[in-house]
Amino acid sequence: MSSREVVLGRIRAALAADTDAPPPVPRDYVRVGADAPGTEPVLEQMIDRLVDYKAIVDRVPAGEAAALGDAVAAALSKAGARSVVVPSDLPADLVDASGRDERVVVADGRPSVLTPTELDGVDAVVTTAQVAIAISGTIVLDGKAGQGRRAISLVPDFHLIVLHADQVVSTVPEAIARLDPIAPLTMIAGPSATSDIELERVEGVHGPRTLHVLIVG
Amino acid sequence: MTSGTFLGIPRRHRHEESPLRGETSFPKAAKTALANDQLRRNLKHATGTIRAKRALVVNEMPDWEQLRDAGAAVKTDVMARMPELLEQFEAKVIERGGVVHWAADAAEANAIVTELVRAQGVSEVIKVKSMATQEIGLNEYLEEQGIAAVETDLAELIVQLGHDKPSHILVPAIHRNRTEVRDIFLSEMTGVVEGLTDEPKQLAMAARSYLRAKFLSAKVAISGTNFGIAETGTVGVVESEGNGRMCVTLPETLITVMGIEKLLPRFEDLEVFLQLLPRSSTGERMNPYTSLWTGVTPGDGPQNFHIVLLDNGRTNALADQVGRAALHCIRCSACLNVCPVYERTGGHAYGSVYPGPIGAVLTPQLTGITGHDDPSASLPYASSLCGACYDVCPVKIPIPDLLVELRARAVDADRSRTIPGGWDAAMRAAAWVMSDAKRFAAVEKTLAVGRLVAGPDKLISTLPPPGSAWTRTRDMPAPPKQTFRQWWKESHPEGSIARSADPADTEQKDGHR
C-alpha cells in the first residue's frame, strides 16, 4: 500500500464515527469597508499604516504625467541609485523617468531575465502593483503587467512602487476578491524587518531595506 | 468538540526518539529553567513586549470576535472534510506542474526530502523556518546524509550557530539576549566584521551579509507552509525578513513540507487567516512579506516544486476529540506569550518543538503516551489553567478545557491503584475541609499567621516544607487581611438579604447538603 493510501485510510478511519456535517462558516466579519476604494479616508489610512511600517510615502496628483515622472526620478536620486531594474512591460513614462540623472536602466522579462547575482548588482527596482490594503498597509504584486518576476522586487535594496489611488481598498477581503489565485503573489507591508533579537524591530534584513511608495491621485 | 469520537490518548508501545518528545518530565525540566535568572529576565521582557503589541492591534479590530468565529469554523470544516480536501489540493498542485509526495511518518518524510536533494546533486540547501521540518528532525537527518541545511531566519540561525534548540514557535531564540547573540556570531559566523557590537541592527546586518551569498547561489530550498489551499493548490509562507521570499523564489528547486492539517478549503479563507495570524503572532497588522505560489509559474520562481504531505501522528490526533481540537492550531504562538507558566520556564522545559499551552495538548496527542514515565505524560499539568491562552487563541481552541480533559483521563487511568498518591491525599483533605462551613472557617482563621510571616513587603519568600517547594522558585503574596466570608458577614448584617422565595431552589440546595 502506498503512503498516500495509508494516510488517507487513517484519516477516513479517524473520521468514521462522525456523521454530522460541519456547521457553515459564519462570514459576518467586516468584508467591505465603510469607504470606497481610493477615497480620501482610505488613502489616509493606507499612508498612516505605511509610515508606521517605516516606508516612505509621497502623493502625486492624478493626471499629471510630468509630476509622476519627476517624483520617480527624485525618489531614485534621493536614494542614491545609480542603476535600476524595471519589468520589461513597465509603462514607458516610468521607464524614462527611471533613467534620468544618467541612471542605468535594465529591463527584466522577455526576452531575457537577470540572474540573482546580476540583480544583486542593481541598486533599485521600480514596479507597479495589483492592489493595496489600507487597514494593514499592505501592497500586493501579482506578476502581471508592470510588476515583474518575484525576484526583481526582492534582491535590489531599494523598491519604488507606483500605486494608483483606485487600487487602494479598505479591507483584506476586498483585496482578496481582486486577486488571481493562480498568479505568484507577493504581499508587502513595509520594508524587510526582523524582531528576533529581544523583539526590537530592525528594518531591513534580506529584502529591500527601503520601500518607497508613490500614490497617484 | 461535538464529535462523538473518544478513543483516549493515542498509546504507543515504546518511547520513540523524536524532536516532539522531551527527555525529562516537565516538572524536572522546569526546575532547572526556573533557577536560571538570565533566562527568566529575557523571557519576561520578550513576552511582555509581544503581549502589549498584540493587544494594541487586536483591540483596533471591531470584528475580531467574528474573525475568530470564522477561523474556528473553517478549521472545523477542514478536519471534517480532510480526505476530500487533501485529494483536491493534490490534484490542483499536480495540475499546475508540482509534484506531491505523502509521508506517513518522520522517517519517510526525511527520506523523501533527502532523495529530492540528492537528485539535484547539491550538498547544501537553504531553509525557511518551519515547524514541520523541526518536528521531523530534518536538519539533523540531512546532516547525517552529508547535506548541510542552512537556516535563514535570523532567530533560527542564532539557534543553529549556537548549537542550541529553539524555545519558542515564533521567536526561537527568545531565550537569548543581544550579548549572547553577539558572542555566538563572533565565535561561529565566518566573515563577521571585527568590532561587532551587540546592537540588534548590527547583528541583523551581519546575518544579511553572511546569508546573501548563499541565497544567490542556492539550487535547492526547503520550506514549510502556513496554508495549503485545496480549491486552488496554492501554498503560502508568511514572514518578515525576506529570507522566506529568497528561499521560495530564487532556487531552481523548492521542497515544501506541509502538515496535513494546514489546509484551507477556499482561496477566500485567506481573508480570515491573513488577518488572524499576523495580529496574533507578531502583533503586527500584517507581516512584512507574504508569498503565495501555485505549483510552477513558467519564468517566475522555482521550476521544480515538490510538496511533502506529512502525517507523523496527526491522524492519531484527529481520531481523538482533544487531538482534533488541537489540530486547529495555526502556530501563531499567542498562547505562549500570555502563559504565566511559559513566561517562567521558557520553551525548553516542555521538551517538545511545540512548547507552551498548545504544545502541552498537541505534543502528547502527536507522540502518544507510553505510560507514567513518558515525559509527554507530564505536559497536561504544565498549566495554571488561568484561561489566558483561550482568550488570545485566534481560532478559539479551548486549551484549558483540553488540558483538564487530559488530566481527567490520567486520573481515570490511575483508578485501579491501591496505594493513594500525594495528590489523592491532598484532594481528600481539601474535600473534608471544604465540605463543612465550620471547618472551612477554622482554616481561614489561620491565614492571619501568613500575614505575620510575610512582613512589611507583603511577600512570603521562605516557607518550611512542604511550602518550600513553592517558595524556592517564587514569592507568595501574603493572604488578605480579611477573608471573603468575614467581609460578607460585616457588610451584610443578619437578615439584610432576602431569602430565596423559590421553594424548589431551597430544596435543591438542601438536597446537596
Side-chain angles (χ1 to χ4, degrees), chain A residues 149-165:
Chain A
R149 295 183 300 137
R150 284 177 282 168
I152 68 163
S153 61
L154 169 64
V155 182
D157 205 20
F158 179 86
H159 187 185
L160 180 66
I161 298 181
V162 177
L163 195 60
H164 290 272

Side-chain angles (χ1 to χ4, degrees), chain B residues 251-331:
Chain B
E252 291 160 12
T253 299
L254 172 61
I255 305 163
T256 298
V257 181
M258 169 176 147
I260 51 176
E261 86 287 8
K262 288 277 175 176
L263 286 167
L264 295 180
R266 295 153 292 257
F267 189 73
E268 181 188 47
D269 296 323
L270 273 180
E271 70 190 26
V272 176
F273 289 86
L274 283 180
Q275 300 198 69
L276 289 174
L277 181 57
R279 287 179 200 260
S280 301
S281 181
T282 51
E284 294 180 293
R285 298 185 178 105
M286 190 73 103
N287 46 288
Y289 295 130
T290 300
S291 300
L292 295 161
W293 67 97
T294 311
V296 171
T297 304
D300 190 345
Q303 297 300 294
N304 310 311
F305 173 57
H306 295 266
I307 188 153
V308 182
L309 298 174
L310 178 71
D311 178 346
N312 201 35
R314 285 165 176 74
T315 47
N316 272 337
L318 189 69
D320 179 88
Q321 59 168 355
V322 169
R324 191 178 304 182
L327 284 182
H328 288 205
C329 173
I330 58 171
R331 315 284 190 261

Side-chain angles (χ1 to χ4, degrees), chain A residues 3-4 10 18 27 29-31 53 120 153 182 185 187 189 192 194 196 198-199 201 204-206, chain B residues 46 63 90 96 108 155 178 205 208 212 241 245 268-269 271 284-286 288 290 292 311 324:
Chain A
S3 292
R4 181 182 189 276
R10 286 178 189 165
D18 303 349
R27 305 230 181 234
Y29 48 83
V30 178
R31 303 198 79 182
Y53 272 138
D120 193 39
S153 61
I182 304 302
L185 299 168
M187 300 186 173
S192 156
T194 183
D196 279 347
E198 296 185 19
L199 290 171
R201 191 179 165 95
V205 196
H206 305 299
Chain B
D63 57 343
E90 177 188 42
R96 290 281 300 173
E108 193 176 4
R178 58 184 73 192
M205 289 311 119
R208 178 186 172 101
R212 180 115 315 205
E241 295 171 9
R245 288 182 67 194
E268 181 188 47
D269 296 323
E271 70 190 26
E284 294 180 293
R285 298 185 178 105
M286 190 73 103
T290 300
L292 295 161
D311 178 346
R324 191 178 304 182

Side-chain angles (χ1 to χ4, degrees), chain B residues 11 91 117 128 138 154 241 326 377 466:
Chain B
R11 303 221 168 220
V117 174
V128 191
L138 179 64
L154 179 54
E241 295 171 9

Side-chain angles (χ1 to χ4, degrees), chain B residues 303-428:
Chain B
Q303 297 300 294
N304 310 311
F305 173 57
H306 295 266
I307 188 153
V308 182
L309 298 174
L310 178 71
D311 178 346
N312 201 35
R314 285 165 176 74
T315 47
N316 272 337
L318 189 69
D320 179 88
Q321 59 168 355
V322 169
R324 191 178 304 182
L327 284 182
H328 288 205
C329 173
I330 58 171
R331 315 284 190 261
C332 73
S333 72
C335 63
L336 277 62
N337 302 323
V338 297
C339 178
V341 176
Y342 178 89
E343 186 181 317
R344 284 158 183 83
T345 63
H348 290 157
Y350 296 79
S352 170
V353 298
Y354 298 116
I358 190 63
V361 181
L362 195 57
T363 299
Q365 289 290 325
L366 291 175
T367 61
I369 289 180
T370 53
H372 275 297
D373 59 335
D374 186 337
S376 293
S378 66
L379 290 176
Y381 295 92
S383 167
S384 65
L385 301 179
C386 72
C389 48
Y390 170 72
D391 293 341
V392 297
C393 178
V395 291
K396 298 182 96 167
I397 299 172
I399 300 173
D401 295 353
L402 302 180
L403 290 168
V404 168
E405 170 66 26
L406 292 179
R407 291 182 192 185
R409 289 184 198 175
V411 171
D412 281 343
D414 280 351
R415 282 213 198 283
S416 53
R417 280 183 317 169
T418 45
I419 305 161
W423 181 253
D424 302 318
M427 282 297 125
R428 271 183 213 140

